[in-house]
Each structure stands twice: as C-alpha cells, then as structure tokens.
Amino acid sequence: MPFDRGNRTYYVSDDRLRAFRALPAEEKLRWVEELAAFLRLAQPVESTATSEVKKVGQTT
C-alpha cells in the first residue's frame, strides 16, 4: 500500500507560531534551510533492486 503524502497532519501551537514570527529573517531562513536538509535526509532511498527492475521493464 503506497504512502499517501496528503494524509499527514502537524499541529503547531499559537505560542510557537508567534515565536517563529518574532525571529529575524536570517533566523527564519536558517530554520527553513535546516528543515529542507532534514527532509532530504529523511526521503526514502531507492534500492538497487528497484532500480534494476525498472531498467529491465523499460522499453526504448
């Protein structure tokens, strides 16, 4: 069963949102860059076996 990317929720309190809003632009950008780096690391890695199956199934 594939993972539904739209089936996620995350709650952020009003206090946390106010704290983020109060940060200077440089700190907000740093936070966003760190989040993006984390998300890249957390992405599933395609296995070699999956790559091989795709290669075999491709028609060119």
Side-chain angles (χ1 to χ4, degrees):
M1 172 193 251
F3 176 71
D4 179 6
R5 291 170 111 12
N7 191 17
R8 296 179 282 197
T9 58
Y10 182 76
Y11 173 78
V12 179
S13 71
D14 290 341
D15 291 335
R16 297 275 313 247
L17 289 173
R18 276 191 286 278
F20 183 77
R21 193 176 310 132
L23 292 174
E26 183 178 326
E27 289 296 318
K28 289 178 187 174
L29 288 173
R30 183 175 296 125
W31 185 87
V32 170
E33 288 172 350
E34 289 175 4
L35 177 61
F38 169 77
L39 291 174
R40 282 191 298 273
L41 290 173
Q43 287 180 348
V45 176
E46 187 176 297
S47 72
T48 305
T50 304
S51 297
E52 292 300 318
V53 169
K54 286 183 180 180
K55 287 179 186 176
V56 170
Q58 289 178 345
T59 56
T60 55

